[in-house]
mmCIF file of all heavy atoms in Angstrom:
data_model
loop_
_atom_site.group_PDB
_atom_site.id
_atom_site.type_symbol
_atom_site.label_atom_id
_atom_site.label_comp_id
_atom_site.label_asym_id
_atom_site.label_seq_id
_atom_site.Cartn_x
_atom_site.Cartn_y
_atom_site.Cartn_z
ATOM 1 N N GLY C 52 -4.714 -4.569 -49.236
ATOM 2 C CA GLY C 52 -3.777 -5.760 -48.911
ATOM 3 C C GLY C 52 -3.166 -5.827 -47.471
ATOM 4 O O GLY C 52 -2.363 -6.628 -47.137
ATOM 5 N N LYS C 53 -3.627 -4.825 -46.602
ATOM 6 C CA LYS C 53 -2.914 -4.763 -45.344
ATOM 7 C C LYS C 53 -3.917 -4.954 -44.155
ATOM 8 O O LYS C 53 -3.803 -4.632 -42.971
ATOM 9 C CB LYS C 53 -2.470 -3.353 -45.065
ATOM 10 C CG LYS C 53 -1.286 -3.088 -46.245
ATOM 11 C CD LYS C 53 0.018 -3.905 -45.996
ATOM 12 C CE LYS C 53 1.070 -3.445 -46.807
ATOM 13 N NZ LYS C 53 2.320 -4.337 -46.644
ATOM 14 N N ARG C 54 -5.094 -5.703 -44.564
ATOM 15 C CA ARG C 54 -6.088 -5.884 -43.531
ATOM 16 C C ARG C 54 -5.617 -6.767 -42.338
ATOM 17 O O ARG C 54 -6.108 -6.586 -41.177
ATOM 18 C CB ARG C 54 -7.304 -6.633 -44.147
ATOM 19 C CG ARG C 54 -7.976 -5.928 -45.281
ATOM 20 C CD ARG C 54 -8.724 -4.913 -44.753
ATOM 21 N NE ARG C 54 -9.834 -5.438 -43.947
ATOM 22 C CZ ARG C 54 -10.760 -4.570 -43.166
ATOM 23 N NH1 ARG C 54 -10.679 -3.200 -43.304
ATOM 24 N NH2 ARG C 54 -11.745 -5.077 -42.562
ATOM 25 N N GLY C 55 -4.555 -7.499 -42.580
ATOM 26 C CA GLY C 55 -4.001 -8.250 -41.467
ATOM 27 C C GLY C 55 -3.586 -7.475 -40.278
ATOM 28 O O GLY C 55 -3.427 -7.872 -39.112
ATOM 29 N N ASN C 56 -3.053 -6.153 -40.548
ATOM 30 C CA ASN C 56 -2.601 -5.257 -39.496
ATOM 31 C C ASN C 56 -3.684 -4.912 -38.561
ATOM 32 O O ASN C 56 -3.363 -4.480 -37.419
ATOM 33 C CB ASN C 56 -2.083 -4.024 -40.178
ATOM 34 C CG ASN C 56 -0.780 -4.250 -40.861
ATOM 35 O OD1 ASN C 56 0.128 -4.955 -40.367
ATOM 36 N ND2 ASN C 56 -0.626 -3.552 -41.916
ATOM 37 N N LEU C 57 -4.908 -5.133 -38.862
ATOM 38 C CA LEU C 57 -6.026 -4.724 -38.038
ATOM 39 C C LEU C 57 -6.029 -5.568 -36.646
ATOM 40 O O LEU C 57 -6.263 -5.049 -35.660
ATOM 41 C CB LEU C 57 -7.401 -4.892 -38.628
ATOM 42 C CG LEU C 57 -8.563 -4.589 -37.797
ATOM 43 C CD1 LEU C 57 -8.495 -3.188 -37.338
ATOM 44 C CD2 LEU C 57 -9.811 -4.776 -38.626
ATOM 45 N N ILE C 58 -5.656 -6.930 -36.892
ATOM 46 C CA ILE C 58 -5.703 -7.838 -35.747
ATOM 47 C C ILE C 58 -4.557 -7.510 -34.796
ATOM 48 O O ILE C 58 -4.814 -7.398 -33.529
ATOM 49 C CB ILE C 58 -5.508 -9.280 -36.225
ATOM 50 C CG1 ILE C 58 -6.720 -9.725 -36.978
ATOM 51 C CG2 ILE C 58 -5.456 -10.166 -35.020
ATOM 52 C CD1 ILE C 58 -6.601 -11.114 -37.632
ATOM 53 N N VAL C 59 -3.435 -7.069 -35.348
ATOM 54 C CA VAL C 59 -2.236 -6.692 -34.569
ATOM 55 C C VAL C 59 -2.658 -5.369 -33.822
ATOM 56 O O VAL C 59 -2.244 -5.200 -32.718
ATOM 57 C CB VAL C 59 -1.055 -6.555 -35.272
ATOM 58 C CG1 VAL C 59 0.197 -6.122 -34.380
ATOM 59 C CG2 VAL C 59 -0.706 -7.889 -36.084
ATOM 60 N N ALA C 60 -3.170 -4.361 -34.489
ATOM 61 C CA ALA C 60 -3.618 -3.183 -33.942
ATOM 62 C C ALA C 60 -4.560 -3.321 -32.719
ATOM 63 O O ALA C 60 -4.398 -2.731 -31.769
ATOM 64 C CB ALA C 60 -4.280 -2.264 -34.985
ATOM 65 N N ILE C 61 -5.497 -4.222 -32.929
ATOM 66 C CA ILE C 61 -6.532 -4.613 -31.849
ATOM 67 C C ILE C 61 -5.738 -5.023 -30.694
ATOM 68 O O ILE C 61 -6.055 -4.783 -29.498
ATOM 69 C CB ILE C 61 -7.584 -5.364 -32.416
ATOM 70 C CG1 ILE C 61 -8.532 -4.695 -33.433
ATOM 71 C CG2 ILE C 61 -8.501 -5.862 -31.221
ATOM 72 C CD1 ILE C 61 -9.517 -5.438 -34.018
ATOM 73 N N PHE C 62 -4.823 -5.924 -30.881
ATOM 74 C CA PHE C 62 -4.032 -6.531 -29.867
ATOM 75 C C PHE C 62 -3.224 -5.561 -29.011
ATOM 76 O O PHE C 62 -3.328 -5.511 -27.760
ATOM 77 C CB PHE C 62 -2.973 -7.559 -30.412
ATOM 78 C CG PHE C 62 -2.073 -8.199 -29.470
ATOM 79 C CD1 PHE C 62 -2.458 -9.198 -28.623
ATOM 80 C CD2 PHE C 62 -0.755 -7.707 -29.166
ATOM 81 C CE1 PHE C 62 -1.625 -9.794 -27.697
ATOM 82 C CE2 PHE C 62 0.073 -8.221 -28.313
ATOM 83 C CZ PHE C 62 -0.287 -9.305 -27.512
ATOM 84 N N PHE C 63 -2.666 -4.494 -29.700
ATOM 85 C CA PHE C 63 -2.016 -3.495 -29.031
ATOM 86 C C PHE C 63 -2.805 -2.548 -28.268
ATOM 87 O O PHE C 63 -2.676 -2.098 -27.165
ATOM 88 C CB PHE C 63 -1.071 -2.738 -30.044
ATOM 89 C CG PHE C 63 0.242 -3.265 -30.318
ATOM 90 C CD1 PHE C 63 0.478 -3.978 -31.556
ATOM 91 C CD2 PHE C 63 1.336 -3.201 -29.419
ATOM 92 C CE1 PHE C 63 1.697 -4.481 -31.817
ATOM 93 C CE2 PHE C 63 2.559 -3.697 -29.637
ATOM 94 C CZ PHE C 63 2.796 -4.413 -30.898
#
Side-chain angles (χ1 to χ4, degrees):
K53 300 292 184 179
R54 295 287 294 177
N56 287 317
L57 179 60
I58 297 177
V59 181
I61 292 174
F62 175 81
F63 276 103

